[in-house]
Amino acid sequence: MELSFLLVALVAFCTPMLLNRLKISLIPTSIAEIIVGIILGKSGVNIIHLDSLLNYMSTFGVIILLFLSGMEIDFSLFKKNAGPVTPLALKRAQNQPTTSADQVAVIAYGATLITSVILAYLLKLSGLFSDLFLAVILFSTIALGIVISVLKENELLSKPLGQALLLIAVLGEVIPLLSLTIYSSLVAGRGGSIWLISLLFIAGALIFKHFQWFFKDLNALNKATTQIDIRLAFAIIIALVLLAEAVGAENILGAFVAGIVLKLLQPATSTQHKLDALGYGFFIPYFFILTGVKLDIPSLLSSPKTLVLIPIFFICFILAKMTTYFGLRLRFKEKNALAGAFLSSTTITLVLAVLTVAEDLKVINAQQSGAFLIAGILTCIVGPLLFNKLTQPEPEDLQKTTVHILGVNLVTVNVLKRLTADWYDIKMYTDSKKNYTTYNHIGNINFLESLEPDDLISQQVFDADIMVFGYSKPEINFKLALAAKEYGVERVITSIENSDPVSMSQMDKTLKKAGIEYFSAFDTSVGIMSAIIETPSTLELLTGSAHLYEVIVNNAKFAGLEVKDLPFIQHITISRIFREGKPIAPHGDTQIQLGDHIVFSADRSIVNTVRQTISKLND
């Protein structure tokens, strides 16, 4: 017993290390763990032997896996209006297809269900697999965890395509899971008590209601020696898993509901990281490795029927999801719709759970179960591979930041020259014919007959992500900046120099209240001179070849990553990190968090790559 337990722990440690050393990125770690389990189990050298402890670890592993899958659901994706929409964002949306991500998901998964029923019926007619309902459940499952990991790796999770695929995967986990609970109750002769399953959801709602305060007060409650947030998580898991079993549902349904409840409680990012570490670092590998250990492939392949079933089940898994193409095509490009269909075909997590339940109910034999499992493993290799080969950026993913600058002069023209065209779409405006004539040869400079806000709105001058006001008269900048902010421009930047102290004080209060970024030449000069005295290299940064750049961390891939582990840290120098408005002096072990503003210097040739990678929405 002790040796097998130790071997599984060592395999769990060595497998991802081996994948990294061999640079194998196409196979998900979970699939690699199953394959290694096959090699070390009944099908291979047979050095890992199951006992009660390992069976318990495998069961708890799948419970934690389904719990974390429930926590992966981003409920904000279901909200129609997650926040204020700027006029520019609204106009961009009007130029996009009208079908939303959730509508695409419902249509696409609805097509999968219909196809699954047809395929299951054909198998029953052929005599290859007679349980129609069980086949529909298996063919309609989608591996939510694998889909999420692939989307994160491709930085697509917050893009419309990623949102649609995530919602399809959520439906592909929730609906089969509920169907499995109903199916197992009916087969086990507990059909009259199916209504008791509703108690599970009522219990989840009560937990949510009474613990909404918890994570708001976490800092006051938590200690390094208590980890009270993790204790709450496991208390919810155990309570709902036991309740699920008590009402005749599957324990994995209780685990999934527990994950949803904790997600709705909006846990701290650190809590999610700790739960991921416990789950994927310890419990879940036991489930995948022992799944491979249990599989007796030589016995399966000795049966001619199994050899026939493996390719048939594999084709059915793929065909069942190919119809998602038609739903995805309503919104996305042909290649992306096809790529999404292949990614949706990945199915292993819930298939393993369904097969475990089916074997306990004696409704499936070992050959059929093994064929389904091997076919599921193949989908997890083929699906992500084809997705990575086919997927392409959508037009909406390539949108540049729109910057409109009012006031054409020597300063603003040089700002135009400094901002890279790969990152920004810049236009300049002026009502001065002299300045227009002087600088018109540069391009992207437009003449205005009027500076009245209504006229600027009608000419779409305020339709920008960033508005910059650089007139020499502070009164003009002040008036137009307020008008632009009222119109709905997300970022407004203005100069208020050369004004008397009283006016400056009044402007300062008004602009600050409106959320407008402003500066004056005097304050800027004082700050620069002080910085040069204290830090001589500042002058080189401001006038030489070196420049400072800023990027906001939106990419979840970097959350929790230490500065020294950033993939491009050898090519940039981070001078400051601003977190919630407060500066942090970065060190090698400083952890990056979502929303951080990173100020760095680097060669211009890699700045765009760094900015695009870090600021890409992927949370």
Side-chain angles (χ1 to χ4, degrees):
M1 178 188 75
E2 294 85 356
L3 179 60
S4 292
F5 193 85
L6 175 61
L7 284 174
V8 175
L10 291 174
V11 168
F13 169 72
C14 293
T15 300
M17 300 282 286
L18 185 63
L19 291 176
N20 182 65
R21 177 63 62 88
L22 299 178
K23 297 182 179 179
I24 300 174
S25 59
L26 297 177
I27 301 177
T29 303
S30 57
I31 302 302
E33 288 168 347
I34 293 174
I35 293 172
V36 174
I38 291 171
I39 296 170
L40 299 179
K42 293 180 180 179
S43 302
V45 294
N46 198 27
I47 60 173
I48 296 179
H49 304 284
L50 291 173
D51 54 28
S52 58
L53 177 59
L54 287 178
N55 278 322
Y56 169 78
M57 290 296 297
S58 178
T59 300
F60 204 70
V62 73
I63 286 173
I64 297 299
L65 178 61
L66 267 295
F67 166 74
L68 292 177
S69 294
M71 282 197 68
E72 291 285 6
I73 300 175
D74 184 359
F75 291 95
S76 66
L77 299 180
F78 296 93
K79 298 178 182 178
K80 293 295 182 184
N81 296 304
V85 181
T86 64
L88 178 61
L90 184 61
K91 290 178 180 179
R92 283 173 175 167
Q94 290 171 347
N95 294 326
Q96 300 298 332
T98 56
T99 310
S100 63
D102 53 350
Q103 290 172 327
V104 166
V106 170
I107 294 169
Y109 190 70
T112 290
L113 284 176
I114 293 171
T115 310
S116 297
V117 172
I118 294 171
L119 292 170
Y121 185 69
L122 291 175
L123 283 179
K124 184 174 182 178
L125 287 179
S126 67
L128 293 172
F129 192 75
S130 59
D131 197 320
L132 179 68
F133 197 26
L134 182 60
V136 171
I137 294 174
L138 286 164
F139 292 148
S140 62
T141 60
I142 300 174
L144 176 61
I146 291 178
V147 169
I148 288 172
S149 65
V150 172
L151 292 176
K152 280 187 175 181
E153 288 169 5
N154 287 274
E155 300 178 333
L156 289 170
L157 202 53
S158 291
K159 301 295 184 183
L161 176 61
Q163 292 176 14
L165 292 174
L166 174 61
L167 292 176
I168 292 171
V170 168
L171 292 172
E173 187 132 325
V174 173
I175 292 177
L177 188 54
L178 292 173
S179 301
L180 175 64
T181 299
I182 296 171
Y183 170 82
S184 62
S185 297
L186 292 172
V187 172
R190 302 190 303 267
S193 60
I194 288 178
W195 66 272
L196 290 173
I197 296 173
S198 63
L199 296 177
L200 181 64
F201 296 96
I202 293 172
L206 289 174
I207 293 172
F208 170 71
K209 179 180 179 181
H210 287 92
F211 284 90
Q212 290 185 63
W213 56 271
F214 183 83
F215 286 101
K216 296 176 184 176
D217 299 336
L218 181 61
N219 290 333
L221 297 168
N222 211 10
K223 296 179 181 178
T225 55
T226 59
Q227 299 295 327
I228 195 70
D229 50 342
I230 305 303
R231 296 187 187 195
L232 173 67
F234 277 91
I236 294 174
I237 294 170
I238 294 169
L240 293 183
V241 164
L242 292 177
L243 180 59
E245 293 179 343
V247 300
E250 295 302 323
N251 54 21
I252 53 176
L253 178 60
F256 191 74
V257 173
I260 292 174
V261 170
L262 197 68
K263 180 68 173 184
L264 289 172
L265 289 174
Q266 298 181 344
T269 302
S270 59
T271 299
Q272 297 188 56
H273 288 163
K274 286 184 283 187
L275 288 169
D276 282 343
L278 282 169
Y280 291 106
F282 183 63
F283 293 108
I284 294 173
Y286 274 84
F287 170 63
F288 286 118
I289 293 167
L290 293 175
T291 296
V293 169
K294 296 174 188 176
L295 200 57
D296 190 351
I297 292 181
S299 297
L300 295 174
L301 297 182
S302 65
S303 168
K305 186 175 181 180
T306 304
L307 292 174
V308 172
L309 287 178
I310 292 173
I312 290 176
F313 288 163
F314 173 72
I315 292 170
C316 287
F317 277 134
I318 299 295
L319 289 179
K321 311 307 187 320
M322 280 298 99
T323 49
T324 61
Y325 167 85
F326 300 104
L328 291 168
R329 193 68 184 89
L330 295 173
R331 174 72 187 267
F332 306 107
K333 295 191 299 187
E334 184 176 350
K335 276 196 172 182
N336 284 342
L338 186 59
F342 279 119
L343 182 61
S344 299
S345 70
T346 56
T347 175
I348 190 64
T349 309
L350 199 54
V351 164
L352 290 170
V354 173
L355 293 175
T356 301
V357 172
E359 289 174 359
D360 291 341
L361 294 171
K362 311 297 185 192
V363 295
I364 191 172
N365 60 44
Q367 288 75 26
Q368 292 169 332
S369 178
F372 272 118
L373 180 56
I374 293 173
I377 292 172
L378 292 174
T379 65
C380 293
I381 297 173
V382 173
L385 174 62
L386 292 176
F387 178 81
N388 290 333
K389 291 288 184 181
L390 293 171
T391 189
Q392 297 177 340
E394 290 284 330
E396 56 206 282
D397 298 338
L398 302 174
Q399 194 77 52
K400 296 179 183 179
T401 299
T402 302
V403 181
H404 289 181
I405 302 175
L406 262 71
V408 176
N409 50 55
L410 193 59
V411 173
T412 56
V413 166
N414 278 280
V415 169
L416 170 65
K417 291 180 178 179
R418 278 204 175 195
L419 294 175
T420 172
D422 294 335
W423 191 256
Y424 299 101
D425 180 13
I426 309 166
K427 289 183 181 179
M428 299 186 70
Y429 299 86
T430 181
D431 64 334
S432 168
K433 289 187 176 180
K434 177 182 177 183
N435 288 355
Y436 176 75
T437 303
T438 302
Y439 297 108
N440 187 39
H441 66 280
I442 296 174
N444 288 329
I445 296 180
N446 304 272
F447 181 73
L448 298 171
E449 295 287 349
S450 167
L451 290 181
E452 288 300 315
D454 289 342
D455 294 330
L456 297 179
I457 291 171
S458 65
Q459 295 179 60
Q460 301 181 340
V461 176
F462 285 172
D463 289 341
D465 297 303
I466 302 174
M467 283 294 312
V468 180
F469 297 94
Y471 277 95
S472 58
K473 295 182 179 180
E475 295 79 11
I476 295 177
N477 293 335
F478 178 74
K479 173 185 174 183
L480 295 181
L482 291 175
K485 197 66 179 179
E486 184 180 356
Y487 178 71
V489 179
E490 186 173 355
R491 284 191 67 196
V492 178
I493 304 169
T494 185
S495 166
I496 55 170
E497 58 186 308
N498 298 328
S499 186
D500 64 87
V502 177
S503 297
M504 281 283 289
S505 178
Q506 293 174 342
M507 288 181 182
D508 180 276
K509 293 178 181 178
T510 304
L511 293 172
K512 185 176 294 184
K513 185 177 180 180
I516 295 171
E517 302 167 59
Y518 58 93
F519 63 94
S520 70
F522 176 78
D523 290 339
T524 303
S525 298
V526 170
I528 291 173
M529 189 171 292
S530 301
I532 291 172
I533 293 171
E534 295 178 346
T535 312
S537 57
T538 301
L539 189 61
E540 178 62 24
L541 284 171
L542 294 172
T543 61
S545 58
H547 299 285
L548 284 176
Y549 303 93
E550 180 178 346
V551 63
I552 302 175
V553 181
N554 293 321
N555 194 332
K557 285 175 61 176
F558 296 97
L561 203 65
E562 293 184 351
V563 165
K564 68 177 184 295
D565 295 326
L566 289 172
F568 32 71
I569 193 61
Q570 301 297 327
H571 306 288
I572 70 172
T573 300
I574 299 177
S575 56
R576 278 292 184 274
I577 297 174
F578 287 87
R579 183 172 297 158
E580 297 179 355
K582 297 179 181 179
I584 298 172
H587 301 282
D589 58 355
T590 301
Q591 288 192 341
I592 303 296
Q593 294 184 12
L594 287 175
D596 282 355
H597 290 240
I598 298 178
V599 179
F600 67 97
S601 59
D603 188 272
R604 278 180 176 270
S605 62
I606 68 162
V607 169
N608 283 341
T609 301
V610 173
R611 276 177 150 177
Q612 289 169 358
T613 303
I614 295 179
S615 68
K616 185 176 293 184
L617 283 170
N618 186 37
D619 54 0

